[in-house]
């Protein structure tokens, strides 16, 4: 049975630990990049010990990579005091729990199958979350309004060193991130060819996040930044090819407008935006984009000619439909 004195919590302000079930072996080595798998239950300090979150109820344990904790550094401290198989209850004072509602929201959204990719860029998004009045969960809104001490009951299941597992893209170093980009790009292309557009967008998106994470550290418009920008633009074009197949035309228009505003010489961006405009009956905008494509890249003449012919036919059909509709009205 582990003794509380040999935990790393001695001297930590505002934490009390009670071991409910002793673990085995020595305390594992916890370094940056170590992957820790554990179950957690979060409870209020009220008479009922109201449960806020419980990973066992969700059905999957939590996995975190040390050094990449989504702003709940205190869990790293707590876990680093535990042995494998140990179950311990930690009382943590308000100083350690203020950010918990934001973290909980992220975890709940992942459990519900929503925006895990957005969560992967958690550290950038955290500050923005403070701008919202509601987190979308009443109990978390209450905790935001009245920060209070919490109980965390943790069960340490597994500890893996960086060499022992394949890491998620958000847990990689910059060098590793850039190595993983072509792999994700290739996987995305393969899925696209197989017609799995939704899955392909996830691969492109993950590759984009890797690039953007590295790019933020470079000086804008310098050579290294421009190299990354070129890679990012290619991925965004591929991503938008998928969106076109998924009929997300307005999103394509938005992404391609961002690119041409920054890089007005990019013919393919105008071409994809023209295709999206064509699908939503924006005839003038579509024609304008296709004309721009021909100015920038006369080699695309054949493809543009085909698109303009389809646009002409579609507009004719629409005009006919409109006529018939109005005829019925008078």
């Amino acid at each position: 049975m582990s003794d509380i004195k040999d935990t790393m919590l001695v001297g930590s302000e505002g934490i009390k630990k009670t071991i409910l079930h002793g673990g085995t072996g020595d305390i594992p080595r916890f370094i940056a990049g170590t992957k820790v798998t554990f179950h957690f239950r979060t409870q209020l300090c009220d008479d009922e010990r109201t449960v806020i979150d419980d990973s066992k109820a969700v059905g999957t344990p939590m996995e975190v990579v040390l050094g990449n904790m989504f702003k709940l550094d205190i869990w790293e401290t707590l876990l680093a005091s535990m042995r494998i198989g140990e179950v311990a209850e930690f009382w943590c004072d308000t100083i350690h729990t203020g950010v918990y509602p934001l973290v909980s929201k992220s975890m709940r959204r992942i459990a519900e199958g929503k925006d895990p990719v957005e969560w992967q860029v958690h550290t950038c998004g955290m500050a923005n979350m403070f701008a919202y009045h509601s987190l979308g969960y009443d109990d978390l809104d209450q905790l935001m309004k009245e920060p209070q001490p919490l109980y965390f009951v943790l069960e340490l299941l597994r500890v893996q060193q960086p060499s022992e597992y394949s890491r998620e893209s958000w847990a990689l170093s910059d060098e590793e991130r850039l190595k993983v980009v072509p792999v994700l790009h290739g996987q995305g292309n393969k899925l696209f060819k197989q017609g799995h557009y939704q899955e392909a967008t996830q691969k492109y998106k993950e590759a984009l996040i890797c690039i953007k994470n590295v790019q933020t550290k470079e000086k804008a418009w310098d050579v290294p930044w421009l190299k990354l920008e070129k890679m990012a633009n290619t991925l965004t074009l591929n991503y938008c090819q998928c969106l076109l197949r998924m009929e997300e035309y307005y999103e394509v228009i938005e992404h391609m407008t961002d690119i041409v505003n920054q890089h007005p010489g990019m013919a393919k961006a105008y071409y994809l935006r023209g295709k999206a405009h064509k699908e939503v009956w924006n005839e003038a905008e579509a024609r304008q984009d296709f004309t721009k494509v021909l100015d920038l890249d006369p080699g695309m003449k054949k493809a543009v000619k085909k698109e303009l012919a389809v646009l002409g036919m579609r507009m004719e059909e629409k005009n006919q439909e409109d006529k018939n509709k109005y005829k019925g009205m008078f």
Side-chain angles (χ1 to χ4, degrees):
M1 175 71 78
S2 170
D3 184 298
I4 194 158
K5 283 193 179 65
D6 65 17
T7 70
M8 290 171 59
L9 301 171
V10 175
S12 289
E13 286 292 310
I15 301 171
K16 289 180 200 145
K17 175 177 179 179
T18 311
I19 293 165
L20 305 179
H21 182 279
T24 53
D26 293 329
I27 289 181
R29 211 165 126 255
F30 290 89
I31 57 168
T34 300
K35 185 189 240 184
V36 187
T37 307
F38 61 99
H39 272 300
F40 73 95
R41 190 169 71 241
T42 307
Q43 292 170 280
L44 296 178
C45 298
D46 56 6
D47 294 339
E48 290 79 36
R49 288 282 190 97
T50 307
V51 175
I52 303 275
D53 292 299
D54 185 348
S55 62
K56 284 190 175 171
V58 171
T60 47
M62 190 72 193
E63 280 187 351
V64 296
V65 176
L66 297 192
N68 282 286
M69 184 62 96
F70 36 84
K71 294 295 182 198
L72 199 62
D73 305 339
I74 188 59
W75 271 6
E76 295 192 5
T77 307
L78 306 183
L79 290 162
S81 77
M82 297 177 73
R83 292 170 160 77
I84 302 294
E86 182 180 316
V87 182
E89 177 187 88
F90 299 90
W91 173 88
C92 292
D93 208 347
T94 314
I95 185 172
H96 302 298
T97 62
V99 79
Y100 183 78
L102 301 177
V103 176
S104 174
K105 176 188 175 168
S106 292
M107 294 188 297
R108 289 182 189 188
R109 287 183 70 79
I110 290 162
E112 290 160 14
K114 292 175 191 159
D115 69 14
V117 175
E118 274 66 73
W119 168 70
Q120 284 167 4
V121 286
H122 41 249
T123 44
C124 327
M126 269 303 166
N128 303 338
M129 282 180 158
F130 285 109
Y132 298 121
H133 299 304
S134 170
L135 295 173
Y137 301 95
D138 292 345
D139 55 346
L140 299 182
D141 285 341
Q142 198 54 40
L143 268 182
M144 277 301 273
K145 271 189 217 126
E146 299 170 36
Q148 54 197 274
L150 294 171
Y151 280 109
F152 297 119
V153 179
L154 305 181
E155 179 183 355
L156 184 58
L157 301 174
R158 194 164 66 238
V159 175
Q160 292 163 287
Q161 297 310 324
S163 55
E164 295 168 2
Y165 67 94
S166 136
R167 285 189 279 169
E168 302 271 348
S169 61
W170 54 266
L172 304 177
S173 69
D174 287 353
E175 197 181 331
E176 290 168 320
R177 278 192 180 116
L178 292 181
K179 278 185 189 157
V180 96
V181 166
V183 178
L184 290 165
H185 195 165
Q187 289 171 341
N189 290 353
K190 194 175 173 186
L191 288 162
F192 179 83
K193 282 179 188 143
Q194 292 168 345
H196 302 309
Y197 305 120
Q198 181 69 52
E199 291 90 335
T201 61
Q202 292 306 323
K203 296 291 179 189
Y204 293 140
K205 216 169 179 182
E206 207 178 324
L208 273 164
I209 286 167
C210 286
I211 291 173
K212 293 295 177 193
N213 271 323
V214 178
Q215 198 183 23
T216 52
K217 293 163 193 164
E218 301 291 352
K219 190 167 185 285
W221 303 100
D222 275 4
V223 172
W225 187 92
L226 281 168
K227 269 188 186 166
L228 293 166
E229 183 74 354
K230 196 176 176 189
M231 287 160 75
N233 287 341
T234 304
L235 282 160
T236 306
L237 290 170
N238 289 12
Y239 178 71
C240 285
Q241 298 264 29
C242 294
L243 293 181
L244 278 174
R245 301 293 176 98
M246 291 156 67
E247 301 181 2
E248 301 284 356
Y249 305 122
Y250 290 103
E251 201 182 328
V252 173
I253 292 168
E254 200 178 315
H255 285 300
M256 293 299 99
T257 301
D258 284 346
I259 286 189
V260 300
N261 285 345
Q262 289 258 30
H263 309 280
M266 211 162 171
K268 276 188 180 156
Y270 286 105
Y271 180 69
L272 290 184
R273 190 172 72 173
K275 283 179 77 141
H277 277 309
K278 177 195 79 180
E279 295 295 341
V280 293
W281 317 106
N282 295 341
E283 185 181 12
E285 289 88 341
R287 287 191 186 281
Q288 207 175 343
D289 278 345
F290 289 135
T291 305
K292 187 76 177 167
V293 172
L294 292 178
D295 287 348
L296 293 168
D297 186 357
M300 290 182 75
K301 190 176 178 181
K302 203 173 167 186
V304 167
K305 203 174 169 187
K306 189 177 150 193
E307 290 297 336
L308 287 170
V310 174
L311 175 66
M313 271 164 36
R314 295 205 58 188
M315 294 314 298
E316 221 168 281
E317 280 169 22
K318 186 172 189 299
N319 293 338
Q320 195 53 53
E321 266 175 40
D322 290 349
K323 264 185 206 162
N324 294 344
K325 200 159 61 182
Y326 292 127
K327 207 191 291 178
M329 285 170 72
F330 299 108

